[in-house]
Amino acid sequence: MKKIIIVLSFSVLAMSAVRADADPFKGILTQNEFTTAESIDPGMTQTGIHFTLGDNYRSYYPAFRYGLGAFFEVGVKFGVTTVDVGPEDKLATLVGVDMKYQLVKETEGIPIDMAVDLGFDTHIINGGNLSELTFATIFSKGFPLTERGYKFTPYAGIEMSSTYGSSLYLASNETNVYVFGGMEWKISQKFMIVAEIKAGDIILGGAGIRFEY
């Protein structure tokens, strides 16, 4: 447990440092991927709580993922985002969904997993919306720590993001490319923590915890 607290503390400090040097809000609300390339087993569910720190915004949301089978899974999230746009923060409702398909599974002759993910997030703010459509390619490799399922999995990838919407706070409709990297640490058979950094037109990072059942 002490190791977990230390890891999370360093993650929070790192994210705070990123936010301290952030530019004014650019009208872009993108979120972390928070998923490896490995698919969830059919019928299995993951639930968790995540937070993201971006350029003058912070998102907090529960997320749910479900394995549909044949290397295919879906995820949903809902929560809130606070945005620094002037003398006071604006509160936005966050809703998102994504679909992930694992293209390559690690075997004796293939050293990594590979997946593609299509996602959609929208923020409802002051009667308008800031929406994002993403397509990401994810690579990861799992390192078993014990024979009981404990595992450490670093992952990385590239994401193409298109933002649009009707909110006054949207800078413009545009497409950006991001690179991201993170880790998922399964510290028991049912519990894991995740942390990620994502960089492109803006820099953001975050962390979270998940339960699998």
Side-chain angles (χ1 to χ4, degrees), residues 37 39-40 42 68-73 100-105 115:
S39 62
I40 302 174
L68 294 175
F71 304 113
F72 184 66
E73 67 183 62
K100 186 178 79 176
Y101 181 71
Q102 185 174 357
L103 295 172
V104 177
K105 185 172 180 61

Side-chain angles (χ1 to χ4, degrees), residues 7 10-11 22 35-36 41 48 53 75 92 102 126 128 131 158 165 187:
V7 170
F10 275 112
S11 298
T35 183
T36 69
D41 291 336
L53 296 178
Q102 185 174 357
N126 277 22
S131 299
I158 185 168
I187 58 178

Side-chain angles (χ1 to χ4, degrees), residues 64-81:
F64 305 86
R65 304 196 68 83
Y66 181 74
L68 294 175
F71 304 113
F72 184 66
E73 67 183 62
V74 296
V76 295
K77 58 175 170 277
F78 58 89
V80 296
T81 296

Side-chain angles (χ1 to χ4, degrees), residues 37-39 71 102-115 139-144 151-154:
E38 186 178 8
S39 62
F71 304 113
Q102 185 174 357
L103 295 172
V104 177
K105 185 172 180 61
E106 181 178 356
T107 63
E108 184 175 346
I110 302 175
I112 60 173
D113 293 312
M114 174 184 173
F139 301 90
S140 66
K141 182 175 179 61
F143 296 92
K151 185 166 63 173
F152 179 79
T153 306

Side-chain angles (χ1 to χ4, degrees), residues 4-18:
I4 298 174
I5 295 173
I6 292 172
V7 170
L8 290 178
S9 298
F10 275 112
S11 298
V12 171
L13 289 174
M15 297 309 107
S16 299
V18 168

Side-chain angles (χ1 to χ4, degrees), residues 44-122:
M44 295 295 290
T45 301
Q46 289 184 353
T47 63
I49 300 290
H50 302 88
F51 71 86
T52 288
L53 296 178
D55 283 2
N56 287 354
Y57 70 92
R58 300 160 299 282
S59 297
Y60 308 87
Y61 54 89
F64 305 86
R65 304 196 68 83
Y66 181 74
L68 294 175
F71 304 113
F72 184 66
E73 67 183 62
V74 296
V76 295
K77 58 175 170 277
F78 58 89
V80 296
T81 296
T82 57
V83 187
D84 301 335
V85 294
E88 60 181 18
D89 291 355
K90 296 294 183 181
L91 185 65
T93 301
L94 167 62
V95 179
V97 62
D98 77 282
M99 298 176 290
K100 186 178 79 176
Y101 181 71
Q102 185 174 357
L103 295 172
V104 177
K105 185 172 180 61
E106 181 178 356
T107 63
E108 184 175 346
I110 302 175
I112 60 173
D113 293 312
M114 174 184 173
V116 291
D117 184 272
L118 179 65
F120 173 77
D121 294 331
T122 188

Side-chain angles (χ1 to χ4, degrees), residues 2 5 19 25 53 61 71-72 74 76 86 107 134 139 158-159 162 168 176 179 188 190 192 201 208:
K2 290 183 179 180
I5 295 173
R19 179 166 156 39
F25 178 62
L53 296 178
Y61 54 89
F71 304 113
F72 184 66
V74 296
V76 295
T107 63
T134 61
F139 301 90
I158 185 168
E159 176 191 275
S162 295
L168 295 175
N176 297 297
V179 293
S188 75
K190 300 297 181 181
M192 63 198 75
D201 190 60

